[in-house]
């Protein structure tokens, strides 16, 4: 199966910025819609942002709109999540996931729609 590797997490102060990257290997990225999920300890994993296979459509959960930007570079098999004005509530393990959508431009919004998952990268925002 495909392997996804996230990078770019770290510790930042509230109001700071951070950029995450997700590289996929073993598959052609252009066949997959991509998403970012996050999970804080003891809490449910939530869908943060997603992007269709061509990048024509994107989705952001209300709490990150205007602060996070998702993008992709299919030639580099990489998806990005740029985060600014970070808040303590943004703290959590961030996971990159891929959904097989070779014939669709839709953005899947549910965990079960994503077939492949990375191991996560930790983002900690201090107040």
């Amino acid at each position: 199966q495909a392997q996804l590797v996230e990078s770019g997490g770290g510790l930042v102060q509230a109001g700071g910025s951070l950029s995450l990257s997700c590289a996929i290997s073993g598959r052609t990225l252009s066949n997959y819609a991509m998403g970012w999920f996050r999970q804080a300890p003891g809490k449910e994993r939530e869908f943060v942002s997603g992007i269709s296979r061509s990048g024509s459509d994107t989705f952001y959960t209300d709490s990150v709109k205007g602060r996070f930007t998702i993008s992709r570079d299919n030639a580099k098999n990489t998806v990005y999540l740029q985060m600014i004005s970070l808040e303590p509530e943004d703290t959590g393990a961030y996971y990159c996931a891929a959904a097989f959508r070779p014939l669709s431009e839709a953005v899947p919004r549910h965990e079960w729609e994503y077939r492949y998952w990375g191991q996560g990268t930790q983002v900690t925002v201090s107040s």
Side-chain angles (χ1 to χ4, degrees), residues 25-67:
S25 62
R27 296 290 188 274
T28 300
L29 187 64
S30 61
N31 288 329
Y32 295 84
M34 302 295 293
W36 287 96
F37 293 77
R38 68 186 178 190
Q39 186 172 27
K43 297 183 179 180
E44 296 292 326
R45 186 154 52 193
E46 66 173 333
F47 183 48
V48 176
S49 183
I51 187 167
S52 63
R53 62 183 180 88
S54 72
S56 62
D57 196 15
T58 58
F59 172 86
Y60 300 94
T61 192
D62 287 344
S63 64
V64 307
K65 287 181 179 177
R67 300 189 298 115

Side-chain angles (χ1 to χ4, degrees), residues 51 76 79 87 94 126:
I51 187 167
K76 295 182 178 180
V79 63
E87 305 167 352
Y94 281 68
S126 63

Side-chain angles (χ1 to χ4, degrees), residues 14 16-17 23 33 38 60 67 74 80 98 105 111 114 121 124 127:
S17 302
R38 68 186 178 190
Y60 300 94
R67 300 189 298 115
N74 288 346
Y80 307 92
E105 290 294 338
E111 283 190 40
Y114 288 86
T121 184
T124 302
S127 60

Side-chain angles (χ1 to χ4, degrees), residues 10-18 38 67-68 83-92 94 122-127:
L11 174 64
V12 298
Q13 293 185 349
S17 302
L18 209 58
R38 68 186 178 190
R67 300 189 298 115
F68 290 14
M83 306 181 293
I84 65 171
S85 301
L86 285 164
E87 305 167 352
E89 292 75 18
D90 295 317
T91 294
Y94 281 68
Q122 180 67 33
V123 172
T124 302
V125 184
S126 63
S127 60

Side-chain angles (χ1 to χ4, degrees), residues 92-107:
Y94 281 68
Y95 298 88
C96 178
F100 187 57
R101 293 287 188 274
L103 303 175
S104 176
E105 290 294 338
V107 180

